[in-house]
Amino acid sequence: MRALLGLRGLRGLTLALLPFLCLLVAALPSLADGEDPDSPFTTLPVQEDDMMAIDSNHSLEIHNISLTEYSTMPIEKNITLDRPSAVKLICELTTSGDLNSVNVTWKKGDDVLENNYPTSATGNILYTQYLLTISNSKQMGSYSCLFQEEKVLRGTFNFKVPELHGKNKPLISYVGDSTVLTCKCEDCFPLNWTWYSSNGSVQVPVGSQQNKHVVNGTHANETRLRITQLLEEDGGSYWCHALFQLGESEEHIELVVLSYLVPLKPFLAIVAEVVLLVTIILLCEKYTQKKQQPLDGGKEFEQIEQLKSDDTNGVENNAPRLRKTEPAGQ
C-alpha cells in the first residue's frame, strides 16, 4: 500500500515538472551555440555582409553609450578606424517610465536605418544594438540611436579616420638653410603619404625638385619633408596628406623663411632712433648757444662801461683840493 502511494506521488511530481523540462530542452540548443541565457540582448540578425566580414577575420569592435531620462544634451562618442572592421554599437536608456512606450530608431546622419536592430529590457533599462561592417569611406560618418517618449534622447557614434599631428607653431628658418617638416600618425599606418604646398587656395604637389625636396620617413606612421637651400618664396603653408583604406586625413604646417637682415632690423631701428635723438639734442644746444652770445656780449660791454665810469669817479673824487690863499698884506 505504501509502495503504491509512493509511485502515485512520484508520478504526480513528474507531471508537475513536465512543463519546466520542456522549456529546458528548448533552451539547450541556444546554450550549445554559446549564447548567454541571462544576456539582455536578443539574437542579432546577421546580414550576409556581416557574415563576410566575420569570415574574412575583420576585427570586431564594440562601443556603447548610456543615456538617462534626465539627459539634456546629446551624447557623442568619437571612434577612430584606419582599416575595415565589424562594429557593434550599443545604446542603453535608464528610465522610470514605461519601457514599452519608448520608440527606438537608428539613423546614419539624417537617414533612418532599416529596422534590423533588436531591443530588449532588463528592469528599468532599455537596450538596443546595431551591427554593421565598415569597409569603405562611404560607410564612415555618424550613427545615432534615438529613444523617443515625451522627448527625444540621442546618442551618436562618430566614425573618423586617424588624425595627423604636425607642428602647431610656425616653423621658422633662414634663407640658405635647410629645414625638415614632420607629420605623424599615432598607432596607424597610412597606405600612402603626400606633401602639398599652398599657393593661395590651390594645393601644389611637393617633390618635383629632387635636389631641393626630399620626402622620407623613419617609420611607416610618419613622413618627413626636407627642404634645402631655402628661399624667401619657400615660406608658406604646407600640407601632409595620408591615405587610409577608409578615407583621407591631412595636417597643416606653416613655414616662415627669414633673411639674415631681419633679426637686425629691430637693432638698426633702435640705433637710428638714438642717432636721431642725439642729433636733435646737439642742434638744440647749438641753437641755444648762438642765441645766448649777443646777450653775453652786451652784458660784458655794460660791465666794461660801468668799470670805466667807476674809475673816472674815483679819480675825480680822490684829486687833492687846493686851498684858496689870500694875497699878503691885505
Side-chain angles (χ1 to χ4, degrees):
M1 185 67 178
R2 292 180 178 177
L4 181 59
L5 292 174
L7 290 174
R8 289 180 177 178
L10 181 60
R11 182 180 178 182
L13 180 61
T14 302
L15 292 175
L17 293 175
L18 184 59
F20 297 100
L21 293 175
C22 293
L23 292 175
L24 181 61
V25 172
L28 285 177
S30 62
L31 293 176
D33 294 335
E35 294 184 1
D36 186 3
D38 295 330
S39 174
F41 301 106
T42 58
T43 303
L44 182 67
V46 181
Q47 300 177 356
E48 183 178 356
D49 293 340
D50 299 330
M51 289 298 298
M52 293 176 62
I54 296 174
D55 292 340
S56 60
N57 295 323
H58 283 325
S59 59
L60 176 63
E61 298 191 11
I62 301 177
H63 302 276
N64 66 289
I65 287 179
S66 298
L67 300 166
T68 68
E69 60 182 329
Y70 303 107
S71 299
T72 57
M73 298 294 293
I75 298 178
E76 297 189 10
K77 184 175 183 180
N78 296 324
I79 303 171
T80 301
L81 293 178
D82 66 335
R83 60 178 61 90
S85 302
V87 182
K88 180 186 288 187
L89 306 178
I90 302 173
C91 288
E92 60 181 62
L93 172 65
T94 303
T95 178
S96 59
D98 184 10
L99 298 180
N100 294 324
S101 63
V102 179
N103 183 28
V104 180
T105 308
W106 281 85
K107 288 185 176 182
K108 181 182 185 300
D110 296 328
D111 300 328
V112 178
L113 298 173
E114 296 180 359
N115 188 16
N116 60 350
Y117 36 86
T119 59
S120 60
T122 299
N124 61 340
I125 302 177
L126 181 63
Y127 298 87
T128 181
Q129 59 179 332
Y130 188 78
L131 177 66
L132 71 155
T133 301
I134 298 180
S135 57
N136 55 59
S137 59
K138 294 182 180 180
Q139 294 173 309
M140 299 287 281
S142 299
Y143 292 79
S144 302
C145 58
L146 294 91
F147 298 94
Q148 184 173 5
E149 190 179 12
E150 295 180 356
K151 62 180 180 178
V152 178
L153 301 176
R154 177 191 292 264
T156 302
F157 302 87
N158 299 314
F159 288 93
K160 301 179 180 179
V161 294
E163 294 182 354
L164 306 182
H165 304 280
K167 188 176 180 63
N168 295 329
K169 297 181 180 180
L171 183 63
I172 301 176
S173 189
Y174 295 93
V175 172
D177 288 350
S178 299
T179 189
V180 177
L181 282 63
T182 304
C183 272
K184 293 183 179 180
C185 177
E186 299 294 337
D187 301 327
C188 61
F189 302 96
L191 300 176
N192 185 31
W193 288 99
T194 309
W195 283 91
Y196 296 91
S197 63
S198 178
N199 184 8
S201 60
V202 180
Q203 289 185 343
V204 180
V206 173
S208 58
Q209 305 180 28
Q210 296 181 357
N211 296 331
K212 187 176 182 64
H213 302 123
V214 179
V215 179
N216 55 23
T218 306
H219 306 286
N221 66 333
E222 73 172 13
T223 179
R224 296 183 179 183
L225 173 63
R226 180 180 177 84
I227 308 176
T228 61
Q229 301 176 1
L230 286 171
L231 302 174
E232 289 191 22
E233 53 265 28
D234 290 328
S237 299
Y238 287 81
W239 300 84
C240 59
H241 182 274
L243 176 63
F244 299 94
Q245 294 182 4
L246 300 176
E248 303 174 351
S249 183
E250 61 184 12
E251 174 64 3
H252 166 254
I253 300 177
E254 191 73 19
L255 174 62
V256 178
V257 181
L258 304 176
S259 66
Y260 285 101
L261 294 178
V262 172
L264 297 177
K265 288 182 179 180
F267 175 75
L268 295 176
I270 294 174
V271 172
E273 290 180 359
V274 172
V275 171
L276 180 61
L277 181 61
V278 171
T279 303
I280 293 174
I281 293 174
L282 293 176
L283 291 175
C284 290
E285 290 182 353
K286 189 175 182 180
Y287 176 77
T288 303
Q289 290 177 358
K290 288 183 177 180
K291 189 175 181 180
Q292 289 179 350
Q293 282 180 358
L295 298 176
D296 294 341
K299 289 182 178 180
E300 291 179 357
F301 179 78
E302 290 180 358
Q303 291 177 357
I304 293 172
E305 293 295 330
Q306 183 66 32
L307 289 174
K308 289 182 178 181
S309 176
D310 292 342
D311 292 342
T312 304
N313 295 333
V315 172
E316 292 179 354
N317 294 331
N318 294 328
R321 295 181 178 179
L322 298 177
R323 181 179 296 177
K324 185 177 181 181
T325 59
E326 296 180 354
Q330 292 182 357

